Coordinates of all heavy atoms in Angstrom, one line a residue:
E101 N 76.9 -122.4 -11.0 CA 77.7 -123.0 -9.9 C 78.6 -122.1 -9.3 O 78.8 -122.1 -8.1 CB 78.3 -124.3 -10.5 CG 79.1 -125.0 -9.5 CD 79.8 -126.2 -10.1 OE1 79.5 -126.6 -11.2 OE2 80.6 -126.7 -9.4
P102 N 79.4 -121.1 -10.1 CA 80.3 -120.4 -9.4 C 79.7 -119.3 -8.3 O 80.2 -119.0 -7.3 CB 80.9 -119.6 -10.6 CG 80.7 -120.4 -11.6 CD 79.4 -121.1 -11.5
Y103 N 78.5 -119.1 -8.6 CA 77.7 -118.1 -7.7 C 77.5 -118.9 -6.3 O 77.6 -118.2 -5.3 CB 76.5 -117.6 -8.3 CG 76.7 -116.6 -9.5 CD1 76.9 -117.1 -10.6 CD2 76.7 -115.2 -9.2 CE1 77.0 -116.3 -11.8 CE2 76.9 -114.4 -10.3 CZ 77.2 -115.0 -11.6 OH 77.3 -114.0 -12.6
Q104 N 77.2 -120.1 -6.4 CA 77.0 -120.9 -5.2 C 78.4 -121.1 -4.5 O 78.5 -120.9 -3.3 CB 76.5 -122.3 -5.5 CG 75.1 -122.3 -6.1 CD 74.7 -123.6 -6.8 OE1 75.5 -124.5 -6.7 NE2 73.6 -123.5 -7.5
K105 N 79.5 -121.1 -5.2 CA 80.8 -121.0 -4.6 C 81.1 -119.8 -3.9 O 81.7 -119.8 -2.9 CB 81.7 -121.5 -5.7 CG 83.3 -121.6 -5.1 CD 84.2 -122.3 -6.2 CE 84.5 -121.3 -7.3 NZ 85.5 -121.9 -8.2
L106 N 80.7 -118.7 -4.6 CA 80.9 -117.3 -4.0 C 80.1 -117.3 -2.7 O 80.5 -116.7 -1.6 CB 80.4 -116.4 -5.1 CG 80.3 -114.9 -4.5 CD1 81.7 -114.4 -4.2 CD2 79.7 -114.1 -5.6
E107 N 78.9 -117.7 -2.8 CA 78.0 -117.8 -1.6 C 78.8 -118.4 -0.4 O 78.8 -118.0 0.8 CB 76.7 -118.3 -1.8 CG 75.7 -117.9 -0.6 CD 75.7 -118.9 0.5 OE1 76.1 -119.9 0.3 OE2 75.4 -118.4 1.7
Q108 N 79.3 -119.6 -0.6 CA 80.1 -120.4 0.3 C 81.2 -119.8 0.9 O 81.6 -119.8 2.0 CB 80.3 -121.8 -0.1 CG 79.3 -122.6 -0.6 CD 79.5 -123.9 -1.5 OE1 80.6 -124.1 -1.7 NE2 78.6 -124.6 -1.7
Q109 N 81.9 -119.0 0.0 CA 83.2 -118.3 0.4 C 82.7 -117.1 1.3 O 83.4 -116.9 2.3 CB 83.8 -117.7 -0.9 CG 85.2 -117.2 -0.6 CD 85.9 -117.0 -1.9 OE1 85.4 -117.1 -3.0 NE2 87.2 -116.6 -1.8
L110 N 81.7 -116.5 1.0 CA 81.2 -115.3 1.8 C 80.9 -115.8 3.3 O 81.1 -115.2 4.3 CB 80.1 -114.5 1.1 CG 80.4 -113.7 0.0 CD1 79.2 -113.3 -0.8 CD2 81.1 -112.4 0.4
T111 N 80.2 -117.0 3.2 CA 79.6 -117.7 4.5 C 81.0 -118.1 5.3 O 80.9 -118.0 6.6 CB 78.8 -118.8 4.3 OG1 77.7 -118.3 3.5 CG2 78.3 -119.5 5.5
S112 N 81.9 -118.5 4.6 CA 83.1 -119.1 5.3 C 83.9 -118.1 6.1 O 84.7 -118.4 7.0 CB 84.1 -119.8 4.3 OG 84.8 -118.8 3.6
F113 N 83.6 -116.8 5.9 CA 84.2 -115.7 6.6 C 84.0 -115.7 8.1 O 84.5 -115.1 8.9 CB 84.1 -114.4 5.9 CG 84.7 -114.3 4.6 CD1 84.1 -113.3 3.7 CD2 85.9 -114.8 4.3 CE1 84.6 -113.3 2.3 CE2 86.5 -114.7 3.0 CZ 85.9 -113.8 2.1
G114 N 82.7 -116.4 8.3 CA 82.4 -116.5 9.7 C 81.8 -115.3 10.4 O 81.7 -115.1 11.7
S115 N 81.4 -114.3 9.5 CA 80.9 -113.1 10.0 C 79.6 -112.7 9.3 O 79.5 -112.6 8.1 CB 81.8 -111.9 9.8 OG 81.3 -110.6 10.0
E116 N 78.5 -112.5 10.0 CA 77.3 -112.2 9.5 C 77.1 -110.8 8.6 O 76.7 -111.0 7.5 CB 76.0 -112.3 10.5 CG 74.6 -112.2 10.0 CD 74.3 -113.5 9.2 OE1 75.1 -114.6 9.4 OE2 73.5 -113.5 8.4
P117 N 77.8 -109.9 9.2 CA 77.9 -108.7 8.3 C 78.6 -108.8 7.1 O 78.3 -108.3 6.1 CB 78.5 -107.7 9.3 CG 78.4 -108.1 10.6 CD 78.3 -109.6 10.6
L118 N 79.7 -109.6 7.1 CA 80.5 -109.8 5.9 C 79.7 -110.7 4.7 O 79.9 -110.5 3.6 CB 81.8 -110.6 6.2 CG 82.8 -109.8 6.9 CD1 84.1 -110.5 7.2 CD2 83.2 -108.5 6.1
R119 N 78.8 -111.4 5.3 CA 77.9 -112.3 4.5 C 76.6 -111.5 3.9 O 76.2 -111.6 2.8 CB 77.4 -113.5 5.1 CG 76.3 -114.3 4.5 CD 76.5 -114.8 3.2 NE 75.4 -115.5 2.6 CZ 74.4 -114.9 2.0 NH1 74.4 -113.6 1.9 NH2 73.5 -115.5 1.5
R120 N 76.3 -110.4 4.8 CA 75.0 -109.8 4.5 C 75.2 -108.4 3.8 O 74.5 -108.0 2.9 CB 74.2 -109.6 5.7 CG 73.5 -110.8 6.2 CD 72.6 -110.5 7.4 NE 71.5 -111.5 7.6 CZ 70.4 -111.6 6.9 NH1 70.3 -110.8 5.9 NH2 69.5 -112.6 7.3
N121 N 76.3 -107.8 4.2 CA 76.5 -106.4 3.6 C 77.6 -106.6 2.4 O 78.8 -106.8 2.8 CB 77.1 -105.5 4.7 CG 76.4 -105.3 5.9 OD1 75.1 -105.4 5.7 ND2 76.9 -104.9 7.0
I122 N 77.0 -106.4 1.3 CA 77.9 -106.8 0.1 C 77.8 -105.7 -1.0 O 76.6 -105.3 -1.3 CB 77.5 -108.2 -0.5 CG1 77.4 -109.1 0.5 CG2 78.6 -108.6 -1.6 CD1 76.8 -110.6 0.0
L123 N 78.9 -105.3 -1.5 CA 78.9 -104.3 -2.6 C 79.3 -105.1 -3.8 O 80.5 -105.7 -3.8 CB 80.0 -103.2 -2.3 CG 79.9 -102.0 -3.3 CD1 80.3 -100.8 -2.7 CD2 80.8 -102.5 -4.6
F124 N 78.5 -105.2 -4.8 CA 78.8 -105.9 -6.0 C 79.2 -104.8 -7.1 O 78.5 -104.1 -7.6 CB 77.6 -106.7 -6.5 CG 77.1 -107.8 -5.6 CD1 75.9 -107.5 -4.9 CD2 77.8 -109.0 -5.4 CE1 75.4 -108.5 -4.0 CE2 77.3 -109.9 -4.5 CZ 76.1 -109.6 -3.7
Y125 N 80.5 -105.1 -7.5 CA 81.0 -104.2 -8.5 C 81.2 -104.9 -9.9 O 81.8 -105.8 -10.1 CB 82.4 -103.6 -8.1 CG 82.9 -102.3 -8.7 CD1 83.0 -101.3 -7.9 CD2 83.1 -102.2 -10.1 CE1 83.5 -99.9 -8.5 CE2 83.5 -101.0 -10.6 CZ 83.6 -100.0 -9.7 OH 84.0 -98.8 -10.4
L126 N 80.3 -104.4 -10.9 CA 80.2 -105.1 -12.2 C 81.1 -104.4 -13.0 O 80.7 -103.5 -13.8 CB 78.7 -105.1 -12.6 CG 77.7 -105.6 -11.6 CD1 76.3 -105.6 -12.4 CD2 78.0 -106.9 -10.9
A127 N 82.4 -104.9 -13.1 CA 83.4 -104.4 -14.1 C 83.4 -105.3 -15.4 O 84.4 -105.9 -15.7 CB 84.7 -104.3 -13.5
T128 N 82.1 -105.6 -15.9 CA 82.0 -106.5 -16.9 C 81.4 -105.8 -18.1 O 81.1 -104.5 -18.0 CB 80.9 -107.6 -16.5 OG1 79.7 -107.0 -16.3 CG2 81.5 -108.3 -15.3
M129 N 81.1 -106.5 -19.3 CA 80.4 -105.8 -20.3 C 78.9 -105.5 -20.0 O 78.3 -106.3 -19.2 CB 80.5 -106.7 -21.6 CG 81.8 -107.0 -22.2 SD 81.7 -107.9 -23.6 CE 81.1 -109.6 -22.9
P130 N 78.5 -104.4 -20.3 CA 77.1 -104.1 -20.0 C 76.0 -105.2 -20.4 O 75.1 -105.4 -19.7 CB 76.7 -102.7 -20.7 CG 78.1 -102.0 -20.9 CD 79.0 -103.1 -21.0
S131 N 76.3 -105.9 -21.5 CA 75.3 -106.9 -21.9 C 75.3 -108.1 -20.8 O 74.4 -108.9 -20.9 CB 75.9 -107.5 -23.3 OG 77.2 -108.1 -23.2
Q132 N 76.2 -108.1 -19.9 CA 76.4 -109.2 -18.9 C 75.7 -108.7 -17.6 O 75.5 -109.4 -16.6 CB 77.7 -109.6 -18.6 CG 78.4 -110.2 -19.8 CD 79.8 -110.5 -19.7 OE1 80.5 -109.7 -19.2 NE2 80.2 -111.6 -20.1
F133 N 75.3 -107.5 -17.4 CA 74.8 -107.0 -16.1 C 73.6 -107.7 -15.7 O 73.4 -108.2 -14.5 CB 74.3 -105.5 -16.2 CG 75.5 -104.4 -16.3 CD1 75.3 -103.2 -16.8 CD2 76.8 -104.8 -16.2 CE1 76.3 -102.2 -17.0 CE2 77.8 -103.9 -16.3 CZ 77.6 -102.7 -16.7
G134 N 72.7 -107.9 -16.5 CA 71.3 -108.6 -16.2 C 71.5 -110.0 -15.8 O 71.0 -110.4 -14.8
E135 N 72.5 -110.8 -16.5 CA 72.7 -112.1 -16.1 C 73.4 -112.1 -14.7 O 73.1 -113.1 -13.9 CB 73.7 -112.7 -17.1 CG 73.8 -114.2 -17.0 CD 74.3 -114.8 -18.3 OE1 75.0 -114.1 -19.2 OE2 74.1 -116.1 -18.5
V136 N 74.3 -111.2 -14.4 CA 75.0 -111.3 -13.0 C 73.9 -111.1 -12.0 O 73.8 -111.7 -11.0 CB 76.1 -110.2 -13.0 CG1 76.6 -110.1 -11.6 CG2 77.3 -110.5 -14.0
V137 N 73.2 -110.1 -12.2 CA 72.0 -109.7 -11.2 C 71.0 -110.8 -11.0 O 70.7 -111.2 -9.8 CB 71.3 -108.5 -11.7 CG1 70.1 -108.2 -10.8 CG2 72.3 -107.1 -11.5
E138 N 70.6 -111.5 -12.2 CA 69.7 -112.6 -12.1 C 70.4 -113.8 -11.1 O 69.7 -114.3 -10.3 CB 69.5 -113.1 -13.4 CG 68.5 -114.3 -13.4 CD 67.1 -113.9 -13.1 OE1 66.7 -112.8 -13.3 OE2 66.4 -114.8 -12.4
H139 N 71.6 -114.1 -11.4 CA 72.3 -115.2 -10.6 C 72.5 -114.8 -9.3 O 72.4 -115.7 -8.3 CB 73.7 -115.5 -11.3 CG 73.7 -116.3 -12.6 ND1 73.1 -117.6 -12.5 CD2 74.1 -116.2 -13.8 CE1 73.2 -118.1 -13.7 NE2 73.7 -117.3 -14.5
L140 N 72.9 -113.6 -9.0 CA 73.0 -113.1 -7.5 C 71.7 -113.2 -6.7 O 71.6 -113.6 -5.7 CB 73.5 -111.7 -7.5 CG 74.9 -111.5 -8.0 CD1 75.2 -110.0 -8.0 CD2 75.9 -112.1 -7.0
H141 N 70.6 -112.8 -7.4 CA 69.2 -113.0 -6.9 C 68.9 -114.4 -6.6 O 68.4 -114.9 -5.5 CB 68.2 -112.3 -7.7 CG 66.8 -112.6 -7.3 ND1 66.3 -112.0 -6.1 CD2 65.9 -113.5 -7.7 CE1 65.0 -112.5 -6.0 NE2 64.8 -113.3 -6.9
Q142 N 69.2 -115.2 -7.6 CA 68.7 -116.7 -7.3 C 69.7 -117.5 -6.4 O 69.1 -118.4 -5.8 CB 69.0 -117.4 -8.8 CG 67.9 -117.0 -9.9 CD 68.1 -117.7 -11.2 OE1 69.2 -118.3 -11.4 NE2 67.3 -117.5 -12.1
T143 N 70.8 -116.9 -6.1 CA 71.7 -117.5 -5.1 C 71.4 -117.1 -3.8 O 71.9 -117.5 -2.7 CB 73.3 -117.3 -5.5 OG1 73.4 -117.6 -6.8 CG2 74.1 -118.1 -4.7
G144 N 70.6 -116.1 -3.7 CA 70.2 -115.5 -2.4 C 71.2 -114.4 -2.0 O 71.2 -114.1 -0.7

């Protein structure tokens, strides 16, 4: 669910480049990398 909220927040900026050009900085535990990437992919 939070990834869907993130997607809505990005869309709310009202700029297509701000929604499409995204740098994801994973300052998490390495064991969580895969899960974050999976959710980002599933959310589009």
